[in-house]
Amino acid sequence: MACVGDVKSQLAAGGTVFVTAASTGELERYADICREYEVPYVLGESENAAAGFTAEGALESAGLVLVRAPFGEGTAFPDAKITIFGNADLFDVAPSLERPTRKIRTSGFFSDFADLKPSDFVVHVDHGIGQFEGLRQIESDGRRGEFMLLRYAEDARLYVPLERMDLVQSYRVVEGAPPPLDKLGGTGWTTRKARVRKSLEDMAEKLLELYAARKTAQGFAFSPDGNWQREFEDAFEFEETQDQNLAIADIKKDMEKPVPMDRLLCGDVGYGKTEVAMRAAF
């Protein structure tokens, strides 16, 4: 560290020096440098000083104090013989880059509903595949309501009140292969749902067997984070979001167990999946 000579000269002249760090990793890095150059120091105001130096001993020798504080640049008070070094005074600090703002999400159905056009295919949870024909105003018992009109096989019609539109979803049609419409009151849709449910149950049974085998297998347990890991993480130029920090902590917890890790990291493009994986893996 280039400022060690400056720090030593100020200490020798009876001054007090505060070196600030932006993170715990940087603080530990400064402590390692002080031990390497045999400079007495204390961590903040704590008397639990490292390297055998007590707070009293450090102050008696015109002490150096390492403290965690968000100072980019330091300052000096010559009359009081006090100097404060900021993070940017000691190392080259890359300018922080602005993170993309979090995307505001609406429910999948509302976005689908806004894009629905007459003749688009939809799926009703109880009646199967039909075609959307638009909205209709219907009056019943003196009350007027708005309904989705769906057409099914044999030109059957189904009116779905908008307050129950959660039962309807847009159907993704493969290009050039429109699906056949289901028959209202028929058994085709019920049969397909039962077949899919049976397939999912079979898949779940196989997955349970697989995970049971993985739980009994021996894996490699990584050691907990050390100083170098924290220093590596502190070098990242982005500030992690709460969700990213949670994902990092969960992944590390898995990696420290002596069993194979099985975790899926999901996220939109540009939302820090690579950063999370690098911080957890290195």
Side-chain angles (χ1 to χ4, degrees):
M1 189 164 67
C3 69
V4 170
D6 190 17
V7 170
K8 282 187 173 182
S9 64
Q10 294 189 50
L11 296 178
T16 302
V17 177
F18 292 86
V19 175
T20 65
S23 65
T24 302
E26 285 185 1
L27 203 64
E28 293 173 346
R29 183 180 184 184
Y30 295 162
D32 290 339
I33 294 173
C34 289
R35 287 194 292 268
E36 180 182 351
Y37 287 92
E38 299 181 351
V39 179
Y41 71 93
V42 288
L43 295 174
E45 298 178 355
S46 172
E47 295 188 4
N48 298 322
F53 296 109
T54 63
E56 294 82 4
L59 294 176
E60 287 173 2
S61 60
L64 169 65
V65 181
L66 308 181
V67 61
R68 181 171 178 177
F71 296 148
E73 297 180 355
T75 187
F77 304 93
D79 294 339
K81 293 186 177 181
I82 295 176
T83 303
I84 301 175
F85 286 96
N87 178 263
D89 298 325
L90 308 177
F91 301 101
D92 292 331
V93 179
S96 59
L97 301 181
E98 185 178 352
R99 266 195 186 278
T101 56
R102 182 179 294 276
K103 188 184 299 182
I104 300 176
R105 298 176 180 270
T106 56
S107 74
F109 174 77
F110 281 110
S111 61
D112 287 346
F113 180 70
D115 296 332
L116 277 180
K117 303 181 296 296
S119 300
D120 283 351
F121 291 94
V122 295
V123 180
H124 190 288
V125 67
D126 294 323
H127 303 290
I129 300 174
Q131 275 186 300
F132 176 69
E133 293 199 340
L135 300 179
R136 299 291 188 272
Q137 291 280 347
I138 297 179
E139 186 172 344
S140 176
D141 297 329
R143 298 180 59 185
R144 179 177 293 274
E146 196 163 19
F147 292 76
M148 298 176 62
L149 175 58
L150 307 182
R151 184 176 69 85
Y152 282 84
E154 299 178 359
D155 210 28
R157 298 295 196 276
L158 176 68
Y159 291 89
V160 181
L162 287 189
E163 58 265 25
R164 296 313 314 274
M165 60 186 179
D166 59 302
L167 300 177
V168 182
Q169 291 185 349
S170 176
Y171 182 91
R172 307 299 182 186
V173 180
V174 179
E175 186 175 356
L181 300 181
D182 282 302
K183 182 178 179 180
L184 282 180
T187 60
W189 175 245
T190 303
T191 302
R192 292 206 305 277
K193 286 203 302 183
R195 187 165 58 245
V196 170
R197 184 180 294 110
K198 179 63 169 60
S199 298
L200 291 175
E201 290 173 353
D202 292 342
M203 182 185 299
E205 184 177 351
K206 293 178 181 178
L207 286 174
L208 287 174
E209 294 175 355
L210 172 63
Y211 284 111
R214 288 175 61 85
K215 283 295 182 183
T216 58
Q218 186 70 23
F220 180 83
F222 289 86
S223 60
D225 289 353
N227 291 351
W228 288 111
Q229 171 70 18
R230 284 188 285 272
E231 182 179 336
F232 172 80
E233 294 180 358
D234 292 336
F236 278 95
E237 58 187 353
F238 295 113
E239 181 180 353
E240 288 73 23
T241 66
Q242 182 178 356
D243 289 341
Q244 287 175 330
N245 281 324
L246 179 61
I248 291 169
D250 288 343
I251 292 173
K252 288 181 177 179
K253 190 181 303 181
D254 284 351
M255 295 177 67
E256 292 171 12
K257 296 177 182 178
V259 294
M261 183 176 71
D262 194 353
R263 183 175 292 274
L264 178 63
L265 180 63
C266 299
D268 289 342
V269 174
Y271 278 78
K273 298 185 296 298
T274 302
E275 179 179 342
V276 169
M278 288 180 65
R279 283 194 53 179
F282 282 88

